Amino acid sequence: MATPPENARAFELLRDEALACTACRLSEGRTQVVFGMGDPAAELMFVGEGPGAEEDRQGLPFVGRSGKLLDRLMAEEMGLTRESAYIANVVKCRPPDNRDPKPDEIAACRPWLERQVELIAPRVVVTLGNFSSRLLLGTDVGITKLRGRAYRYGDTVLVPTLHPAAVLRGGGTAMANMRADLVRAKTVLQGGVVDLTDAGMVAR
Ligand code: SF4
């Protein structure tokens, strides 16, 4: 789904605006805003949690061990590189000591992510872990219950999966689950039929 030129311009303006954001306390400890990276006309978008130390230093998302795993699984299961997708996070600034983002920080940062999704207009959004999956699906159900399905998210299909950091900790089963979720996302990208679930129907 190509992004029209006016969307590309709007995306650049959005990025410039976000890079100066001080809407929550996370602005105080960051080195820089990690807005996102990849193709703003991508059909596939990944949404993680927030920048870590290396991401904060480089200004890019998923550049550490988690990012390497994401790159590998994307290549092995989807035949794609990160340059052909777009990668962003729920919060754009690093939480101190890599703590979880707080609800008010997530709420403050949410408009940036929603506008990114709106302008990129991907066919598939893959949410990585609890924070992005719960936020975009509007549920407090955990990722282990949410994953394994595909959901309607506006005009987009949302496929939740584990955060790569959890897969690094979790071993074989977690890895197999993430691989299966990426195959599900690829099926949607290729126009295949998947059942779409209503997040409100998934029991806690
Ligand atoms: Fe702004 Fe988001 Fe950074 Fe908070 S985390 S300062 S809302 S860009």
Side-chain angles (χ1 to χ4, degrees):
M1 195 182 300
T3 300
E6 60 270 24
N7 272 21
R9 177 74 187 129
F11 198 79
E12 276 305 302
L13 290 173
L14 183 76
R15 183 173 184 279
D16 290 348
E17 210 182 321
L19 294 184
C21 178
T22 55
C24 83
R25 69 180 76 76
L26 294 182
S27 64
E28 294 161 15
R30 74 184 181 217
T31 303
Q32 54 196 318
V33 173
V34 181
F35 182 69
M37 73 169 292
D39 178 2
E43 295 196 327
L44 172 65
M45 181 171 179
F46 290 92
V47 184
E49 179 181 322
E54 195 54 29
E55 286 80 11
D56 176 67
R57 199 177 66 77
Q58 293 192 31
L60 297 169
F62 283 95
V63 288
R65 286 181 68 222
S66 293
K68 285 195 170 55
L69 178 62
L70 180 62
D71 287 344
R72 180 159 72 84
L73 297 186
M74 211 189 306
E76 290 177 2
E77 301 302 338
M78 308 182 83
L80 295 173
T81 63
R82 68 163 61 201
E83 288 74 24
S84 61
Y86 195 88
I87 307 178
N89 280 312
V90 164
V91 291
K92 314 295 188 203
C93 303
R94 181 194 180 202
D97 303 318
N98 293 335
R99 67 158 167 76
D100 289 344
K102 296 184 175 175
D104 63 325
E105 295 160 354
I106 293 171
C109 213
R110 180 178 190 153
W112 298 123
L113 176 62
E114 288 180 341
R115 191 78 178 119
Q116 283 177 308
V117 176
E118 190 183 327
L119 289 171
I120 294 169
R123 286 178 67 176
V124 180
V125 174
V126 175
T127 48
L128 302 163
N130 264 320
F131 285 92
S132 53
S133 302
R134 287 172 161 171
L135 179 72
L136 295 189
L137 289 174
T139 177
D140 58 1
V141 176
I143 184 61
T144 52
K145 294 265 179 65
L146 290 172
R147 65 149 300 277
R149 302 176 171 91
Y151 300 81
R152 196 181 308 283
Y153 178 69
D155 294 333
T156 297
V157 174
L158 191 151
V159 178
T161 192
L162 303 168
H163 193 284
V167 174
L168 286 169
R169 291 192 301 269
T173 303
M175 180 79 82
N177 286 341
M178 186 167 182
R179 285 184 185 278
D181 294 333
L182 295 184
V183 169
R184 183 172 296 103
K186 182 183 178 185
T187 301
V188 179
L189 277 176
Q190 293 180 333
V193 177
V194 296
D195 289 335
L196 293 179
T197 306
D198 175 354
M201 302 302 285
V202 180
R204 297 175 69 181

